[in-house]
Amino acid sequence: MCDGTCDGADLDPLLTPELAWLWQALAAAADRRGDESLTSGPAVTVKVPAAPAQRAAAAGLIDGRPLEPGQSRRVNLENLTAAVAARGPRLTPGAVAAHACGRRLAAKARHRAQQTAAADHLRTRLENSAASLPHHVRELIGPETVFTRLRTLGWVTRLLHAPDPTALLDQALQVAARLPPPGRRIDRRLLVPGNPHALDTGALPALVLALTGSSGTPVRSAWARLGVDCDDLLGGLIITGITPRGWRIPPGATITLPPRELAHIEWEPPETTGIWIFITENPSVLAAASNQALAQKSPVTPRVVCTAGTPSQLECEAIAALADTGWNIAVRADFDQAGLAHMRALLAAAPTAVAWRMSTADYLEAVSEGTDPLHLTDEDAPWDTRLVPAMRKHSMPVYEEDLLPALLTDIAAGTPGSPSS
């Protein structure tokens, strides 16, 4: 009923039916204040009952003038504590009220305090652990804001209701620590050693995505953003206008080549030299190019390959195979940290490829002033050394959709253009 202050006390004289009204009023005050002892603090106002026996029973506990029926009286908690201490040296008004009402007092406040303490423990553990993560993972997580983000997403409450909150958080941070740096890929089944299906479903994968700011998007896309491949049947490259060797595809059709097909891909060579294939990050560009060609009945076949996010090593190799087969390759992505990493990976895999509308001039043509922090290094855009300083100055990403009219013009013309074209 209480916190143990009743040990050795003689409670019977205080728990008579005639005093129930007093202890009920004190119990209600304890619940409101979140104070289960009620040994100090503002006086508690009670309404004096009409029954003489009830007033008489409280006469020795409420000091001052005689109690009058229906009167509101303020009960001094220090004086009441001294009065009940006559029945037990550690006895408190709150303990007596708890026994009189048959329950612990201030349960909600106590629960809130426990939850707050547990949340503070998680926050400290999260911030300390995040400090030792690899740099690229810290950039994803944002140690200064991650706890607030998790609270906003409801994850702090979800963690506190988990069987072992600390263990779940630690495991999620261990998974995050194994995420590859930008431009590299890893199989999701390798992120939890000894348990290839640990990230298939459940709280652990959801927490990893929340930690890295990747929740709120389709799961496969979220993992792809982190450089994680889920399997060899879904994902891969979306293509139009190009055909694997020996395949029969209707003209103008768009298909997806999953990783399993890309593993040993052979491409049909171009009919003549000098034909360009455009590599893009976002499906919206491919879709718009295809729709434009169908609507205008263009004589130029749009030849577009979409990586749908971070290209895997296998996808980079498949694009490099296009160059080896004789196609000219123009590559681009979003003007942000991930997009620049995509570019470096693709240009490294296909050294003869060219950056397509990824120059400083292209960026400046579409950028607006912003406050989004772009965590870039001077080496992030080796194809244009002025690009990173410009992106830092404007502090704003530029997405492929911002350049869509120019990109569609290039695709329709069959040649990568420049800002002045």
Side-chain angles (χ1 to χ4, degrees):
M1 299 295 178
C2 66
D3 57 2
T5 57
C6 64
D7 292 346
D10 181 15
L11 286 171
D12 290 342
L14 299 173
L15 299 181
T16 63
E18 290 76 15
L19 280 174
W21 65 274
L22 175 61
W23 304 126
Q24 288 170 0
L26 288 167
D31 291 337
R32 289 194 303 271
R33 299 182 182 186
D35 177 6
E36 64 176 329
S37 64
L38 291 180
T39 57
S40 61
V44 176
T45 300
V46 300
K47 186 174 182 180
V48 178
Q54 292 177 311
R55 300 199 308 275
L61 299 173
I62 302 177
D63 56 347
R65 64 187 185 279
L67 301 177
E68 299 292 338
Q71 179 186 40
S72 293
R73 286 292 292 270
R74 293 172 61 80
V75 179
N76 183 287
L77 294 179
E78 288 84 356
N79 294 342
L80 180 59
T81 300
V84 301
R87 300 294 177 180
R90 298 175 55 236
L91 197 58
T92 66
V96 179
H99 283 272
C101 295
R103 62 179 178 83
R104 285 290 294 267
L105 305 184
K108 291 182 179 180
R110 189 167 53 255
H111 177 71
R112 287 195 299 270
Q114 292 169 348
Q115 293 291 90
T116 299
D120 289 343
H121 170 73
L122 287 176
R123 180 171 195 155
T124 300
R125 194 174 190 90
L126 175 58
E127 292 175 349
N128 290 342
S129 299
S132 62
L133 291 171
H135 175 75
H136 69 280
V137 179
R138 292 200 306 274
E139 293 291 337
L140 285 170
I141 289 179
E144 299 81 8
T145 59
V146 61
F147 185 82
T148 300
R149 185 172 71 250
L150 290 182
R151 187 187 292 279
T152 300
L153 293 171
W155 262 104
V156 172
T157 299
R158 188 172 176 182
L159 274 170
L160 293 176
H161 284 87
D164 191 338
T166 299
L168 177 57
L169 178 62
D170 288 349
Q171 191 175 14
L173 288 166
Q174 290 166 10
V175 172
R178 298 188 184 99
L179 292 173
R184 297 185 184 178
R185 310 286 300 189
I186 191 172
D187 191 310
R188 188 173 64 175
R189 293 165 293 188
L190 302 179
L191 287 173
V192 181
N195 190 349
H197 299 293
L199 299 176
D200 287 354
T201 59
L204 178 59
L207 179 55
V208 174
L209 295 179
L211 281 169
T212 54
S214 303
S215 57
T217 58
V219 172
R220 293 186 64 84
S221 299
W223 283 116
R225 171 182 175 271
L226 299 175
V228 178
D229 298 322
C230 296
D231 52 55
D232 66 351
L233 293 176
L234 298 175
L237 296 175
I238 309 170
I239 67 171
T240 188
I242 313 104
T243 307
R245 188 185 295 273
W247 287 37
R248 292 183 178 273
I249 301 173
T254 298
I255 66 170
T256 298
L257 295 177
R260 178 170 293 186
E261 300 298 335
L262 295 176
H264 306 287
I265 192 71
E266 293 184 12
W267 301 100
E268 289 287 353
E271 296 178 358
T272 61
T273 60
I275 300 179
W276 288 89
I277 292 176
F278 299 90
I279 314 299
T280 183
E281 176 184 349
N282 297 289
S284 58
V285 178
L286 185 150
S290 179
N291 292 340
Q292 175 179 265
L294 291 172
Q296 299 178 355
K297 298 181 180 179
S298 172
V300 177
T301 300
R303 294 182 172 88
V304 185
V305 174
C306 176
T307 63
T310 302
S312 67
Q313 182 62 36
L314 183 61
E315 291 163 3
C316 289
E317 292 171 357
I319 291 169
L322 283 167
D324 295 339
T325 308
W327 298 93
N328 290 341
I329 307 298
V331 300
R332 69 156 295 105
D334 292 328
F335 285 100
D336 60 9
Q337 184 182 27
L340 299 190
H342 302 175
M343 289 291 296
R344 294 195 302 275
L346 289 168
L347 293 174
T352 61
V354 300
W356 168 36
R357 291 194 183 268
M358 285 295 293
S359 69
T360 304
D362 295 303
Y363 173 78
L364 294 176
E365 193 172 75
V367 72
S368 58
E369 296 297 330
T371 57
D372 292 352
L374 297 176
H375 303 288
L376 303 174
T377 66
D378 293 337
E379 296 76 27
D380 281 348
W383 61 90
D384 185 342
T385 56
R386 296 183 300 133
L387 178 56
V388 167
M391 293 177 67
R392 285 176 177 157
K393 177 181 178 181
H394 290 274
S395 193
M396 193 71 179
V398 168
Y399 301 105
E400 289 193 295
E401 290 79 2
D402 298 324
L403 298 168
L404 190 56
L407 302 184
L408 294 180
T409 298
D410 292 349
I411 294 171
T415 305
S418 63
S420 59
S421 64

